Amino acid sequence: MAEGMDVAAGPAEPAWWQRGVVYQVYPRSFQDSNGDGVGDLRGIVQRLDYLQWLGVDAVWISPFYPSPMRDFGYDVTDHQAVDRVYGSLVDFDRIVAEAHARGIRVIVDYIPNHTSDGHPWFVASRAARHNRKRDWYVWRDPAPGGGPPNNWRSAFGGSAWEWDEPTGQYYLHTFLREQPDLNWRNPAVELEMLDVLRFWLGRGADGVRVDAIQVVMKDAEFRDNPPNPDYREGIDDPYDALLRVHSADRPEIHGLIARMRELVEQYGDRVLIGEIYNEVDRLMAYYGEGGRGVHFPYNFQLIKLPWDARTIDAAVRRYESLLPPGAWPNWVLGNHDRHRVASRVGAAQARVAAMLLFTLRGTPTLYYGDEIGMHDVEIPPDRVQDPWEKNLPGRGLGRDPERTPMQWSAEPAAGFTTGEPWLPVAPDFAANNVLAQRADPASMLSLHRALMDLRRREPALHVGGWAPVDADGPVLAYLRTHGDTRFLVALNLSAEPASLDFDGGGEVVLGTLPDGEARRVGGGAIELRGDEGVIVRLDGR
Ligand code: GLC
């Protein structure tokens, strides 16, 4: 084994969002309190005891604002209210109070790029060319020869431009046509939308996750995007046919993010997280000059990369080496937009993936249900909800499979609702649920709880240094260190036995396999069984 140098150490006084674990709740699917089949804010309150027991430090709640639900809440008609299906502002205040009483922070979703086409601002904007709100959205004349103003595409399929016959112009929509993009070059939009941040922070939100932050600013000249030379027609998502150099990741975004950061900091110890799907080197700019950007841009590599030890090892090393000084890392295994980790890597490897998530350096974000190994659920065509699947059916782009109801118990509808759930419950819910797994020390849930507990107890794991360890084949290994404490994490990303050359010795404090703990390892090599990951406390030097 060749031990690398400590390439990265943690801050002396870590903030809560550095020490802690974030848990993402998709509110439609977490807990229904009134039997309408859709989860709600009171349901979240009912489950806070569970989240406290599990050991998470913060809960990020996906949008619950009034919305026609074309994109299930990412199409907002009022940024400062709660949709009736989810409850009321009183319920939100209760979440904050009850979460805080349990030591859990609350992060809300903030959607700056677009509104619903039903938002009063857009209704005014499209009413007439001379309307005072016209310039709050992005309106353009047709191209000289007719047709859309440029070649930009919508993330959900088709052109990003929608023709508005009555006023004779196109409006821009990076996502659905029911989600028109706001024009942030208009100072009135910025003023109004920054007030939205003040509203939620003032109400006690501990942070915001900023939706689609890299598309908020567009090229001032609306130039065509160039073709993507690597695009495979008929195989890849049509959105990727063009390189989005003029419609996303513009340098102009960073000034705006700095102003958001400044505002957030006026409220004290709050966090600003950016949702950015981009190459890792492009992510780094979002930390901002002098650290004036987001506290961290979400790092989705573990979602996107093939489940291969050498690939992930290289990605972790590269990410760590690219982080600007003082920039805080983070890792994500799943969210409401991507297939479930248990379906991507399989149930046995999902346990290894959990160990990876909670032992890498930086804030982990856990998607609801991943802690019990929920997998994608096949959705019958007549129950499809997601507009992406409706626009581009059969390509595996639909997001319903990873948004199915949380499996709490073996009761009907898994204890999620007393009514008909908005999406089908996974067929295996009677065996695979929180209640059953709580009682089983070998369960995925028990593993998650043990991982979070160890991470909380050991500074080496929540703020400590990280260093790569050379390994071969399916083994991924690294060190986490703090003072004299050193942990070796060794993960076998395959179902076959594998070994890691290792001179030192230590004791396994946690393993992904039920009987893997409390054994001594080392003295030349560490033998790992198939699907085994271990956290080894190394002997003192
Ligand atoms: C983000 C959200 C996704 C949504 C899109 C448009 O990517 O995570 O769910 O559809 O933005 O708001």
Side-chain angles (χ1 to χ4, degrees):
M1 179 191 83
E3 287 183 13
M5 284 178 16
D6 259 11
V7 296
E13 285 279 332
W16 63 268
W17 50 267
Q18 295 177 310
R19 284 190 312 267
V21 172
V22 178
Y23 184 96
Q24 181 188 356
V25 164
Y26 193 67
R28 290 187 83 74
S29 302
F30 197 57
Q31 178 65 57
D32 177 20
S33 72
N34 62 2
D36 66 358
V38 176
D40 46 42
L41 299 189
R42 286 188 188 187
I44 297 174
V45 173
Q46 288 171 14
R47 296 300 184 179
L48 286 172
D49 283 342
Y50 165 74
L51 294 177
Q52 186 184 26
W53 170 85
L54 182 60
V56 306
D57 301 270
V59 54
W60 150 35
I61 311 172
S62 290
F64 44 76
Y65 315 115
S67 164
M69 304 292 166
R70 299 309 299 257
D71 191 20
F72 297 105
Y74 284 96
D75 47 330
V76 178
T77 53
D78 181 352
H79 293 96
Q80 305 190 6
V82 173
D83 195 282
R84 291 224 314 269
V85 79
Y86 298 126
S88 67
L89 280 172
V90 175
D91 298 322
F92 175 78
D93 294 344
R94 254 195 84 204
I95 291 188
V96 170
E98 300 264 341
H100 286 176
R102 291 167 177 79
I104 297 174
R105 315 276 175 145
V106 179
I107 298 171
V108 298
D109 224 297
Y110 174 61
I111 304 146
N113 180 65
H114 45 268
T115 68
S116 160
D117 61 349
H119 195 294
W121 300 342
F122 188 70
V123 173
S125 183
R126 89 186 308 177
R129 284 205 192 198
H130 61 261
N131 189 282
R132 278 181 38 239
K133 291 239 165 20
R134 183 67 168 182
D135 191 41
W136 281 42
Y137 292 83
V138 183
W139 291 96
R140 309 290 290 176
D141 291 331
N150 67 22
N151 68 354
W152 296 358
R153 296 198 174 192
S154 152
F156 292 145
S159 169
W161 296 96
E162 180 72 8
W163 175 244
D164 184 60
E165 184 64 43
T167 59
Q169 279 189 312
Y170 285 89
Y171 68 83
L172 181 67
H173 59 92
T174 300
F175 296 92
L176 296 175
R177 70 164 67 86
E178 294 89 353
Q179 292 170 299
D181 283 30
L182 283 164
N183 173 21
W184 278 79
R185 291 185 190 269
N186 180 339
V189 168
E190 180 172 321
L191 263 180
E192 194 75 35
M193 284 301 291
L194 291 187
D195 256 355
V196 173
L197 281 179
R198 289 192 188 92
F199 179 82
W200 293 104
L201 295 168
R203 266 200 124 82
D206 299 285
V208 286
R209 171 266 191 192
V210 187
D211 184 67
I213 197 168
Q214 67 161 342
V215 297
V216 170
M217 297 300 288
K218 286 93 184 166
D219 178 38
E221 295 163 40
F222 292 90
R223 283 169 287 185
D224 271 355
N225 280 327
N228 173 2
D230 299 329
Y231 180 69
R232 297 162 306 170
E233 185 79 46
I235 300 172
D236 295 328
D237 180 353
Y239 188 44
D240 295 329
L242 303 174
L243 297 173
R244 295 184 283 275
V245 292
H246 297 308
S247 57
D249 196 22
R250 301 287 313 163
E252 297 93 317
I253 189 64
H254 299 296
L256 171 59
I257 296 175
R259 295 193 287 282
M260 290 181 183
R261 169 74 176 256
E262 202 182 313
L263 188 160
V264 167
E265 282 190 346
Q266 286 164 11
Y267 290 80
D269 199 10
R270 315 288 171 102
V271 69
L272 184 68
I273 305 173
E275 185 216 22
I276 299 145
Y277 284 92
N278 209 330
E279 302 306 319
V280 179
D281 51 345
R282 301 297 310 166
L283 276 191
M284 298 304 160
Y286 288 81
Y287 286 101
E289 256 176 63
R292 304 301 307 151
V294 293
H295 288 99
F296 55 82
Y298 262 141
N299 164 23
F300 296 122
Q301 294 181 86
L302 296 180
I303 293 187
K304 294 193 290 189
L305 290 173
W307 193 242
D308 165 74
R310 300 283 59 79
T311 308
I312 292 178
D313 185 47
V316 176
R317 290 177 194 237
R318 178 146 184 272
Y319 178 67
E320 282 281 2
S321 71
L322 286 172
L323 283 168
W328 186 249
N330 77 95
W331 297 93
V332 184
L333 274 181
N335 62 34
H336 63 295
D337 293 326
R338 301 290 155 144
H339 295 303
R340 290 254 180 206
V341 60
S343 294
R344 287 187 274 116
V345 306
Q349 280 294 315
R351 298 175 69 97
V352 177
M355 186 167 276
L356 176 67
L357 177 69
F358 292 110
T359 57
L360 283 171
R361 195 174 77 92
T363 308
T365 297
L366 173 63
Y367 184 48
Y368 87 91
D370 281 353
E371 76 273 27
I372 55 168
M374 277 176 64
H375 51 76
D376 283 359
V377 176
E378 205 181 318
I379 308 295
D382 62 330
R383 294 208 58 184
V384 168
Q385 301 273 356
D386 186 22
W388 204 352
E389 179 68 25
K390 289 182 177 169
N391 285 354
L392 298 165
R395 288 169 172 255
L397 294 170
R399 299 166 295 178
D400 297 329
E402 62 264 25
R403 295 175 175 180
T404 61
M406 179 68 176
Q407 295 150 216
W408 295 105
S409 69
E411 290 168 85
F416 161 71
T417 179
T418 53
E420 178 63 26
W422 78 288
L423 279 175
V425 176
D428 65 350
F429 80 87
N432 190 16
N433 61 63
V434 169
L435 203 63
Q437 291 200 17
R438 268 179 97 136
D440 176 3
S443 69
M444 183 72 157
L445 183 59
S446 297
L447 175 66
H448 272 77
R449 198 156 171 257
L451 282 165
M452 280 183 258
D453 181 52
L454 184 65
R455 190 176 188 281
R456 187 178 327 106
R457 281 189 283 114
E458 293 293 346
L461 294 177
H462 64 251
V463 284
W466 167 92
V469 169
D470 291 336
D472 301 317
V475 178
L476 175 61
Y478 45 91
L479 293 174
R480 297 301 314 276
T481 59
H482 188 260
D484 288 339
T485 312
R486 295 188 312 151
F487 288 100
L488 169 76
V489 181
L491 309 170
N492 180 356
L493 269 61
S494 80
E496 305 304 321
S499 90
L500 171 72
D501 292 344
F502 184 72
D503 291 334
E507 188 184 330
V508 175
V509 291
L510 191 57
T512 57
L513 298 183
D515 54 352
E517 283 147 39
R519 74 177 196 261
R520 283 209 51 87
V521 292
I526 294 182
E527 303 302 334
L528 296 169
R529 291 170 286 173
D531 301 316
E532 183 167 42
V534 291
I535 303 175
V536 180
R537 187 190 296 274
L538 296 181
D539 299 336
R541 278 187 260 207

